[in-house]
Amino acid sequence: MNSDLLAPLDLAFWNIESAEHPMHLAALGVFTGNSPTAGAHAAELLATRAAGVAGLRMRIRDVWLPDVRLPLAFGGAAREPVADFEPFDHVRLHAPTADFHAAAGRLMERPLERDRPPWEAHVLPGEDGTSFAVLFKFHHALADGLRALTLAAAVMDPMDMPTPRPRPAEPPRRLLEEMRKLPEFLRGTVSDLGRALDIGASVARTTLDATLGTRSAVALTSEPSGTRRTAGVLVDLDEVHRIRKTVGGTVNDVLIAVVAGALRRWLDERGDGSEGVAPRALIPVSKRRPRTAHPQGNRLSGYLMKLPVDDPDPLRRLRTVRTAMDRNKDAGPNRGAGAVALLADHVPALGHRLGGPLVSQAARLWFDILVTSVPLPSLGLRLGGCPLAEVYPLAPLAHGQSLAVAVSTYRGSVHYGLVADARAVPDLELLAKAVTLEVEELRGACEA
């Protein structure tokens, strides 16, 4: 297996990481155990199976000088296979716990080790002896949500899943061949520069529009403490569909509107107040096409919208979200402040390395909260014969931001995964409860 140069956005994720803001995404899966030793058996299975998954044997190394295999990689990074891969260094069995989310929060604080394959699986046996949880952590430079799902599924019990079409192997390129392509490369660079300027102008305009007249909640922004807290909420998918059929729009519109209403409840209950609050939410959009090249690289853009937290009417909040999302879709993922991720494709590798810390500091200028959707297979997953009952996606926190929301649907339920800075948001459980109450209020408003 040869080295694989990181895509620009992967490289950006690798370089904006800090000790207080590790750039790993995660999922907390809760399994129904079939014996008190089910957790220990699961840990053994995960380590044994991980040894046979090529994507889990890849580490990321810095590339400071261009070479024949990785041309124009000055200041970049590449994935490469590890010969001495030890899976038991990545799979850890913990002591029994009564609170999976409390344990997950502490584990989310720890950055992944950058000198070995950047992923971990933590097995958490339940004190009740009838369940266990597994926290999977993947660095965003190693995998986006879809890729992380593929890697995690590879260590589950075998199941029938479509196999992605492999990327054709590229023959080694010689330096002379690269030099001959230089005029074409320069023309492409000029064209890319024009596109980058167009995207940049659109980002600036939309960011300004989204910022004017906006008041964010103090609780959503903070100086980083490096601490983490997680919480999870289960919502009946049929309830969401009933709301959608009554009001119109998409399931995602309803799920985003629920976040807006839950934030309103939470802010009012904690005494911060929701009047005039309309935080800017970044809604990531995958630009990945199924079965296309670069299956490991992040291919993301995003939409930006003001969450109508200050609106007291739940149905009006939902209609506002629907209108904003329709507007975003009409403009397309190449426009708006959310398209800032596309600019990564136009920055030289060395620029990512030198400018990563500055970019990480600027996240709060673009958005106040991340609300992302992570797809999951509809088929039931198992580990050691134990069914996966719940799965909560967990997103990384951007610098200076206190809360991120990730949502997945699995086996008839919507799973909200909440990640927060534990010092800034010590009452995350109140927000989780507010999500449930908001769904009930929306349903009641639709039935009235």
Side-chain angles (χ1 to χ4, degrees):
M1 189 186 301
N2 294 326
S3 296
D4 177 24
L5 193 64
L6 289 190
L9 190 52
D10 300 343
L11 186 60
F13 285 135
W14 188 246
N15 284 304
I16 66 176
E17 183 173 58
S18 66
E20 295 80 12
H21 284 276
M23 288 305 298
H24 52 253
L25 46 84
L28 179 66
V30 180
F31 294 81
T32 302
N34 51 21
S35 75
T37 61
H41 180 51
E44 293 179 2
L45 284 177
L46 289 173
T48 301
R49 293 170 179 173
V53 180
L56 296 179
R57 301 173 62 96
M58 304 292 285
R59 72 173 180 180
I60 297 175
R61 69 175 176 91
D62 292 332
V63 179
W64 278 104
L65 295 174
D67 59 33
V68 172
R69 289 180 302 110
L70 302 175
L72 304 173
F74 183 78
R79 300 181 189 88
E80 66 176 8
V82 175
D84 57 348
F85 175 69
E86 177 48 69
F88 283 94
D89 288 342
H90 295 265
V91 180
R92 299 165 189 174
L93 177 64
H94 295 260
T97 178
D99 189 337
F100 294 139
H101 277 287
R106 292 189 293 269
L107 293 169
M108 286 293 287
E109 296 175 3
R110 307 176 187 175
L112 294 164
E113 296 186 32
R114 292 170 70 92
D115 59 349
R116 65 184 190 179
W119 69 275
E120 292 174 351
H122 297 270
V123 181
L124 309 167
E127 282 187 350
D128 56 10
T130 62
S131 63
F132 66 91
V134 179
L135 177 70
F136 285 102
K137 294 168 55 178
F138 295 95
H139 198 287
H140 221 323
L142 178 71
D144 60 8
L146 289 172
R147 177 66 175 169
L149 169 63
T150 301
L151 293 173
V155 292
M156 297 288 106
D157 291 353
M159 60 182 293
D160 294 330
M161 291 187 69
T163 303
R165 184 179 302 167
R167 178 175 52 180
E170 296 183 4
R173 291 178 284 190
R174 304 300 176 190
L175 187 57
L176 181 58
E177 294 175 3
E178 296 301 323
M179 294 300 293
R180 288 172 177 168
K181 294 179 181 179
L182 189 56
E184 179 183 349
F185 171 78
L186 290 175
R187 285 195 298 272
T189 300
V190 173
S191 176
D192 284 351
L193 179 60
R195 183 166 179 267
L197 290 173
D198 182 50
I199 294 173
S202 178
V203 166
R205 287 194 303 270
T206 311
T207 302
L208 180 61
D209 291 343
T211 303
L212 292 175
T214 294
R215 184 172 80 85
S216 183
V218 174
L220 298 182
T221 58
S222 67
E223 290 303 315
S225 70
T227 59
R228 292 292 181 271
R229 184 183 300 271
T230 76
V233 187
L234 273 178
V235 173
D236 188 340
L237 183 58
D238 287 340
E239 295 281 354
V240 175
H241 278 300
R242 279 193 281 272
I243 296 169
R244 178 191 61 81
K245 290 177 181 178
T246 301
V247 182
T250 67
V251 166
N252 200 41
D253 294 342
V254 177
L255 299 181
I256 296 171
V258 166
V259 173
L263 287 173
R264 176 183 175 81
R265 290 174 177 274
W266 176 62
L267 291 172
D268 287 343
E269 185 170 351
R270 73 198 318 252
D272 291 348
S274 59
E275 184 177 354
V277 173
R280 298 161 301 166
L282 178 64
I283 318 292
V285 177
S286 176
K287 290 177 65 66
R288 181 194 298 275
R289 295 180 180 177
R291 300 177 181 271
T292 55
H294 303 291
Q296 297 184 41
N298 282 277
R299 304 291 297 170
L300 293 172
S301 181
Y303 298 143
L304 191 75
M305 63 172 296
K306 292 181 182 179
L307 293 179
V309 171
D310 57 343
D311 193 327
D313 187 296
L315 292 181
R316 199 161 55 220
R317 286 196 296 267
L318 176 50
R319 294 188 184 99
T320 299
V321 168
R322 178 185 176 186
T323 300
M325 288 299 289
D326 287 345
R327 188 184 306 116
N328 276 317
K329 292 170 187 175
D330 289 342
N334 294 339
R335 298 283 177 174
V340 69
L342 299 179
L343 293 175
D345 292 337
H346 306 280
V347 177
L350 186 59
H352 283 294
R353 182 178 296 278
L354 299 178
L358 180 62
V359 171
S360 69
Q361 299 277 343
R364 68 171 67 184
L365 298 177
W366 297 318
F367 63 98
D368 304 304
I369 183 173
L370 177 75
V371 182
T372 184
S373 177
V374 182
L376 290 176
S378 57
L379 298 176
L381 297 172
R382 291 176 177 268
L383 179 57
C386 300
L388 176 63
E390 304 169 23
V391 55
Y392 301 98
L394 303 172
L397 289 181
H399 184 90
Q401 296 176 349
S402 305
L403 178 67
V405 180
V407 192
S408 288
T409 57
Y410 175 73
R411 306 288 285 177
S413 294
V414 177
H415 294 70
Y416 279 89
L418 312 178
V419 178
D421 184 292
R423 186 177 300 169
V425 187
D427 55 349
L428 188 61
E429 292 76 14
L430 291 180
L431 178 58
K433 183 179 179 181
V435 170
T436 301
L437 294 175
E438 179 62 17
V439 174
E440 294 176 359
E441 182 172 8
L442 267 173
R443 181 190 60 198
C446 289
E447 293 174 351

